[in-house]
Amino acid sequence: MSLPEEDLTCPICCDIFTDPVLLSCSHSFCRSCLKRYWETGLRECPVCRKRASKASPATNLALRNVCEALLMARRSSVLVEEKMNCNLHGEKLKLFCLVDKQPICVVCQSSKLHKSHDCSPIEEAVLDCKDELASSLKNLQDKADSLKRIHMTSADMIEYIKSQSLETQKLIKRQFKQLHQALYQDELARIEAVKKEEEDKIAGMKDKIKELSAEVLFLTETISVIQEQLKEDDMVLLKNFKATQDREKSIALDSDNMSGLLIDVTKHLCNLKYKVWEKILDHIDYTPVTLDPNTAHPCLILSDDLTSLHYSKTHSCCPDNPERFHISAEVVGMDALGSGSHHWVVETGSNQDWLLGVASLSVPRNSEISARPENGFWTLCFRNGEFRAMTSPPTPLTITRAPKQVKVKLDYNKGTMSFFDPADDTLLYAFTHMFTETLLPYFYTQSSHPLRIMPEKVLVTMLRQG
């Protein structure tokens, strides 16, 4: 229970006690006041005149604590009063300027500075500001919790990055090994072709040499016959002339044609690198869409070449990064689709639960939303044996023969998103929408049977300069 203020007043200075001391007569005084009183020569109680001891009077601790508490309360009251008053006009702050976000007095409100500003009573402003600060506090706490979670998983993220790097390097080496093998096989085949031509050319040369040797021998013999005939008598020469002439005419001399005997070097080396590259294309698959593994839901399993996906009940050990779909089994392609025309074919096979199409780049990855155009999705759905275009509400489709493949075609500039059966190019459904945002190829499945993006044939076109 608090004491009346008069009980806390020094009888000498008539002010609140400062460092009070207690005399044996139970009266209390400020230490400094009592000292000045005693300096007059009378060492007695200023109230009851009782003689005081020569010893230094004891401090009245209880009274000192009460007085200090009272003085502190007074100072606090003054500070509060100062805070509640306007610094410019000294008036009580009763209003809150909604434009400048500060408390003002009624004089401030009528001044040029705040005359055109909306204001509200202090009591209402306090409630509104508290609500706003509470909302800000919640947002900051949510961000802090999110940062703490990220911080806690940072070590796991580093390990995952390392494993990603090792796995990617392994897959790169595997694909280059396949290319090296194809190049090596082509190199061996071309070298064998040169060696085979060498053998054929040498065998041909040996046959040519045999023919030449036979012809040289025949020519030598013929020359000898003619020389002998020239030595004979004239009548003998004339009698044998026709036979000798026929022998000479029978010599065809075709073996002296030595053209085409060398190796056709041009055939083996002409545009060799281009021809090898063109042949290598037969060993290469090109897919117009590649899946982005950093966006795949943990239950989706992607192939090594990132062209197929299927569902697994076992979650993969992947980090909770912002790009990843966290709620349902979704994944998007890494190729951003903007201006122009784009298409790809997806083999659905035995998969009985899928969605295919495109999704806006900004669709949320950590909340469950319907795959509808108003949410940034343009998709075709197959579930429970029924095809539906995912409009709002979904549109059931009557399809006589369920396609094993679906062609997805986007014409961004024309604003059409179409689905076809590539077997006979039958249109299954077409969305019409004026696209303004970047789109991504979109896939969803909860089936263990894979969805596979089909490869396309690479065509090489040579441009010749005129």
Tab-separated table of all heavy atoms in Angstrom, residues 7-12 17 19-31 33-34 45-47 58-61 63-64 67:
chain	number	residue	atom	x	y	z
A	7	ASP	N	4.077	11.992	3.964
A	7	ASP	CA	4.906	11.107	4.777
A	7	ASP	C	6.280	10.880	4.166
A	7	ASP	O	7.180	10.319	4.807
A	7	ASP	CB	4.217	9.758	4.980
A	7	ASP	CG	2.950	9.879	5.844
A	7	ASP	OD1	2.841	10.891	6.569
A	7	ASP	OD2	2.100	8.973	5.754
A	8	LEU	N	6.448	11.299	2.901
A	8	LEU	CA	7.728	11.112	2.208
A	8	LEU	C	8.445	12.443	2.039
A	8	LEU	O	9.387	12.542	1.261
A	8	LEU	CB	7.473	10.475	0.826
A	8	LEU	CG	6.700	9.143	0.813
A	8	LEU	CD1	6.470	8.674	-0.608
A	8	LEU	CD2	7.458	8.089	1.616
A	9	THR	N	8.039	13.442	2.851
A	9	THR	CA	8.619	14.786	2.727
A	9	THR	C	9.531	15.074	3.915
A	9	THR	O	9.171	14.841	5.075
A	9	THR	CB	7.521	15.854	2.658
A	9	THR	OG1	6.653	15.545	1.576
A	9	THR	CG2	8.099	17.241	2.469
A	10	CYS	N	10.682	15.621	3.599
A	10	CYS	CA	11.653	15.978	4.651
A	10	CYS	C	11.129	17.199	5.431
A	10	CYS	O	10.751	18.205	4.810
A	10	CYS	CB	12.996	16.290	4.016
A	10	CYS	SG	14.231	16.916	5.177
A	11	PRO	N	11.113	17.165	6.790
A	11	PRO	CA	10.620	18.302	7.593
A	11	PRO	C	11.465	19.553	7.431
A	11	PRO	O	10.986	20.652	7.725
A	11	PRO	CB	10.690	17.772	9.036
A	11	PRO	CG	10.683	16.281	8.898
A	11	PRO	CD	11.421	15.997	7.642
A	12	ILE	N	12.708	19.400	6.956
A	12	ILE	CA	13.599	20.565	6.860
A	12	ILE	C	13.422	21.251	5.515
A	12	ILE	O	13.140	22.448	5.441
A	12	ILE	CB	15.072	20.146	7.066
A	12	ILE	CG1	15.256	19.575	8.483
A	12	ILE	CG2	15.999	21.340	6.837
A	12	ILE	CD1	16.650	19.044	8.749
A	17	PHE	N	12.261	13.075	0.308
A	17	PHE	CA	13.553	12.701	0.901
A	17	PHE	C	14.591	12.353	-0.169
A	17	PHE	O	14.285	11.675	-1.165
A	17	PHE	CB	13.399	11.488	1.825
A	17	PHE	CG	12.740	11.802	3.135
A	17	PHE	CD1	11.455	11.355	3.420
A	17	PHE	CD2	13.420	12.545	4.106
A	17	PHE	CE1	10.853	11.628	4.632
A	17	PHE	CE2	12.808	12.824	5.335
A	17	PHE	CZ	11.518	12.376	5.598
A	19	ASP	N	18.319	10.545	0.029
A	19	ASP	CA	19.222	9.801	0.912
A	19	ASP	C	18.804	9.986	2.375
A	19	ASP	O	19.545	10.555	3.187
A	19	ASP	CB	20.664	10.258	0.695
A	19	ASP	CG	21.661	9.345	1.418
A	19	ASP	OD1	21.254	8.222	1.839
A	19	ASP	OD2	22.832	9.743	1.550
A	20	PRO	N	17.582	9.551	2.765
A	20	PRO	CA	17.084	9.774	4.138
A	20	PRO	C	17.870	8.984	5.181
A	20	PRO	O	18.337	7.872	4.910
A	20	PRO	CB	15.637	9.300	4.049
A	20	PRO	CG	15.633	8.287	2.942
A	20	PRO	CD	16.635	8.751	1.951
A	21	VAL	N	18.053	9.627	6.363
A	21	VAL	CA	18.695	8.958	7.506
A	21	VAL	C	17.680	8.900	8.648
A	21	VAL	O	16.767	9.729	8.739
A	21	VAL	CB	19.969	9.694	7.948
A	21	VAL	CG1	21.035	9.605	6.875
A	21	VAL	CG2	19.668	11.151	8.287
A	22	LEU	N	17.868	7.915	9.534
A	22	LEU	CA	16.920	7.676	10.622
A	22	LEU	C	17.624	7.938	11.965
A	22	LEU	O	18.674	7.347	12.236
A	22	LEU	CB	16.408	6.233	10.564
A	22	LEU	CG	15.397	5.825	11.638
A	22	LEU	CD1	14.108	6.637	11.498
A	22	LEU	CD2	15.128	4.327	11.533
A	23	LEU	N	17.027	8.875	12.807
A	23	LEU	CA	17.586	9.152	14.137
A	23	LEU	C	16.979	8.177	15.146
A	23	LEU	O	15.965	7.503	14.860
A	23	LEU	CB	17.292	10.596	14.536
A	23	LEU	CG	17.906	11.681	13.625
A	23	LEU	CD1	17.550	13.075	14.166
A	23	LEU	CD2	19.419	11.504	13.510
A	24	SER	N	17.572	8.130	16.315
A	24	SER	CA	17.103	7.202	17.358
A	24	SER	C	15.695	7.533	17.817
A	24	SER	O	14.980	6.684	18.352
A	24	SER	CB	18.068	7.226	18.545
A	24	SER	OG	18.170	8.535	19.076
A	25	CYS	N	15.279	8.778	17.582
A	25	CYS	CA	13.921	9.173	17.969
A	25	CYS	C	12.886	8.794	16.919
A	25	CYS	O	11.715	9.173	17.040
A	25	CYS	CB	13.887	10.681	18.236
A	25	CYS	SG	14.351	11.670	16.789
A	26	SER	N	13.327	8.112	15.859
A	26	SER	CA	12.471	7.590	14.778
A	26	SER	C	12.083	8.645	13.751
A	26	SER	O	11.255	8.390	12.876
A	26	SER	CB	11.185	6.942	15.324
A	26	SER	OG	11.507	5.856	16.148
A	27	HIS	N	12.667	9.887	13.889
A	27	HIS	CA	12.397	10.885	12.860
A	27	HIS	C	13.429	10.747	11.746
A	27	HIS	O	14.600	10.423	11.996
A	27	HIS	CB	12.440	12.304	13.464
A	27	HIS	CG	11.285	12.557	14.372
A	27	HIS	ND1	11.443	12.789	15.743
A	27	HIS	CD2	9.944	12.629	14.138
A	27	HIS	CE1	10.268	12.969	16.303
A	27	HIS	NE2	9.329	12.875	15.327
A	28	SER	N	13.002	11.054	10.514
A	28	SER	CA	13.890	10.928	9.354
A	28	SER	C	14.049	12.279	8.690
A	28	SER	O	13.124	13.116	8.670
A	28	SER	CB	13.314	9.924	8.344
A	28	SER	OG	13.297	8.610	8.877
A	29	PHE	N	15.257	12.487	8.073
A	29	PHE	CA	15.596	13.732	7.395
A	29	PHE	C	16.508	13.388	6.220
A	29	PHE	O	17.142	12.325	6.175
A	29	PHE	CB	16.324	14.703	8.347
A	29	PHE	CG	15.577	14.970	9.618
A	29	PHE	CD1	15.833	14.201	10.756
A	29	PHE	CD2	14.624	15.984	9.688
A	29	PHE	CE1	15.138	14.437	11.926
A	29	PHE	CE2	13.938	16.212	10.891
A	29	PHE	CZ	14.184	15.430	12.003
A	30	CYS	N	16.593	14.318	5.259
A	30	CYS	CA	17.606	14.152	4.203
A	30	CYS	C	18.971	14.251	4.863
A	30	CYS	O	19.189	15.077	5.775
A	30	CYS	CB	17.486	15.250	3.149
A	30	CYS	SG	15.933	15.244	2.229
A	31	ARG	N	19.906	13.446	4.436
A	31	ARG	CA	21.249	13.459	5.050
A	31	ARG	C	21.875	14.841	4.942
A	31	ARG	O	22.461	15.363	5.902
A	31	ARG	CB	22.128	12.411	4.362
A	31	ARG	CG	23.517	12.253	5.032
A	31	ARG	CD	24.350	11.237	4.301
A	31	ARG	NE	23.784	9.905	4.392
A	31	ARG	CZ	23.980	9.072	5.434
A	31	ARG	NH1	24.706	9.476	6.480
A	31	ARG	NH2	23.436	7.883	5.424
A	33	CYS	N	20.335	17.754	4.520
A	33	CYS	CA	19.581	18.752	5.317
A	33	CYS	C	19.975	18.662	6.786
A	33	CYS	O	20.183	19.691	7.468
A	33	CYS	CB	18.077	18.528	5.172
A	33	CYS	SG	17.439	18.862	3.501
A	34	LEU	N	20.073	17.422	7.313
A	34	LEU	CA	20.426	17.223	8.711
A	34	LEU	C	21.843	17.714	8.979
A	34	LEU	O	22.114	18.322	10.017
A	34	LEU	CB	20.289	15.742	9.081
A	34	LEU	CG	20.532	15.397	10.545
A	34	LEU	CD1	19.503	16.111	11.445
A	34	LEU	CD2	20.478	13.899	10.769
A	45	CYS	N	17.499	16.513	17.344
A	45	CYS	CA	16.467	16.269	16.333
A	45	CYS	C	15.755	17.577	16.054
A	45	CYS	O	15.262	18.230	16.986
A	45	CYS	CB	15.485	15.219	16.832
A	45	CYS	SG	14.059	14.996	15.697
A	46	PRO	N	15.691	18.009	14.790
A	46	PRO	CA	15.023	19.279	14.455
A	46	PRO	C	13.545	19.270	14.769
A	46	PRO	O	12.931	20.344	14.850
A	46	PRO	CB	15.261	19.402	12.935
A	46	PRO	CG	16.450	18.558	12.657
A	46	PRO	CD	16.386	17.426	13.608
A	47	VAL	N	12.947	18.085	14.997
A	47	VAL	CA	11.504	18.004	15.253
A	47	VAL	C	11.216	17.926	16.749
A	47	VAL	O	10.499	18.747	17.316
A	47	VAL	CB	10.886	16.805	14.528
A	47	VAL	CG1	9.405	16.646	14.904
A	47	VAL	CG2	11.037	16.966	13.010
A	58	ALA	N	22.147	6.300	10.679
A	58	ALA	CA	21.996	5.207	9.710
A	58	ALA	C	21.045	5.612	8.583
A	58	ALA	O	20.107	6.381	8.776
A	58	ALA	CB	21.471	3.956	10.397
A	59	THR	N	21.298	5.048	7.412
A	59	THR	CA	20.427	5.296	6.246
A	59	THR	C	19.103	4.568	6.437
A	59	THR	O	19.070	3.395	6.826
A	59	THR	CB	21.099	4.807	4.953
A	59	THR	OG1	22.331	5.519	4.772
A	59	THR	CG2	20.193	5.049	3.747
A	60	ASN	N	18.014	5.249	6.139
A	60	ASN	CA	16.681	4.643	6.205
A	60	ASN	C	16.412	4.001	4.822
A	60	ASN	O	15.861	4.624	3.902
A	60	ASN	CB	15.626	5.697	6.538
A	60	ASN	CG	14.288	5.061	6.869
A	60	ASN	OD1	14.007	3.932	6.492
A	60	ASN	ND2	13.444	5.819	7.586
A	61	LEU	N	16.836	2.730	4.661
A	61	LEU	CA	16.768	2.061	3.364
A	61	LEU	C	15.341	1.932	2.841
A	61	LEU	O	15.059	2.165	1.658
A	61	LEU	CB	17.403	0.674	3.453
A	61	LEU	CG	18.924	0.662	3.693
A	61	LEU	CD1	19.418	-0.770	3.892
A	61	LEU	CD2	19.646	1.316	2.521
A	63	LEU	N	12.713	3.771	3.524
A	63	LEU	CA	12.187	5.061	3.097
A	63	LEU	C	12.861	5.517	1.811
A	63	LEU	O	12.216	6.091	0.926
A	63	LEU	CB	12.411	6.090	4.217
A	63	LEU	CG	11.833	7.481	3.978
A	63	LEU	CD1	10.326	7.417	3.778
A	63	LEU	CD2	12.184	8.399	5.166
A	64	ARG	N	14.177	5.274	1.694
A	64	ARG	CA	14.887	5.691	0.482
A	64	ARG	C	14.317	4.982	-0.767
A	64	ARG	O	14.114	5.594	-1.812
A	64	ARG	CB	16.386	5.381	0.623
A	64	ARG	CG	17.201	5.920	-0.553
A	64	ARG	CD	18.673	5.583	-0.410
A	64	ARG	NE	18.894	4.154	-0.568
A	64	ARG	CZ	20.113	3.590	-0.509
A	64	ARG	NH1	21.182	4.365	-0.249
A	64	ARG	NH2	20.247	2.296	-0.669
A	67	CYS	N	10.953	6.495	-1.718
A	67	CYS	CA	11.117	7.833	-2.308
A	67	CYS	C	11.656	7.751	-3.730
A	67	CYS	O	11.218	8.490	-4.632
A	67	CYS	CB	12.050	8.681	-1.433
A	67	CYS	SG	11.337	9.102	0.163
